[in-house]
Amino acid sequence: ANADFTRGGIVLNSCGWIEDFGLQMLKAAIRDFAVDVIVVMGSDSLYAHLRSEYQHIRTEFVPTSSGIIPRSK
């Protein structure tokens, strides 16, 4: 097989839905896509939760940049 086609990637964007059913869906995606790196942007609590639950997966945190204003729900 061509080495260029043996690796790939995907971004699973939760769109901020990280509680209750949204968290369940995120965990299902992590499992179903056999994720090997998790990057959490801006949510300390989600980062702590995923890092604790998926100790076998590399988990990184990226803080929210200053000046970012969350949209209303």
Side-chain angles (χ1 to χ4, degrees), residues 8 10 20 23 28 41 67:
I10 186 169
D20 304 319
L23 181 58
M41 300 176 75

Side-chain angles (χ1 to χ4, degrees), residues 16-33:
W17 194 21
I18 56 172
E19 296 177 358
D20 304 319
F21 187 65
L23 181 58
Q24 292 175 22
M25 295 296 294
L26 183 57
K27 289 179 180 182
I30 290 169
R31 180 193 66 235
D32 294 346
F33 284 97

Side-chain angles (χ1 to χ4, degrees), residues 11-19 21-23 25-27 29 39-43 46 50 69-73:
V11 174
L12 302 171
N13 184 354
S14 70
C15 297
W17 194 21
I18 56 172
E19 296 177 358
F21 187 65
L23 181 58
M25 295 296 294
L26 183 57
K27 289 179 180 182
V39 178
V40 178
M41 300 176 75
S43 174
L46 179 62
L50 295 177
I69 301 170
R71 296 188 308 186
S72 60
K73 294 182 179 182

Side-chain angles (χ1 to χ4, degrees), residues 26-71:
L26 183 57
K27 289 179 180 182
I30 290 169
R31 180 193 66 235
D32 294 346
F33 284 97
V35 168
D36 60 353
V37 177
I38 298 171
V39 178
V40 178
M41 300 176 75
S43 174
D44 294 322
S45 60
L46 179 62
Y47 170 71
H49 178 82
L50 295 177
R51 186 168 185 212
S52 167
E53 186 154 334
Y54 298 101
Q55 294 178 8
H56 62 286
I57 299 176
R58 179 177 157 204
T59 306
E60 302 291 337
F61 179 74
V62 177
T64 304
S65 298
S66 62
I68 301 295
I69 301 170
R71 296 188 308 186

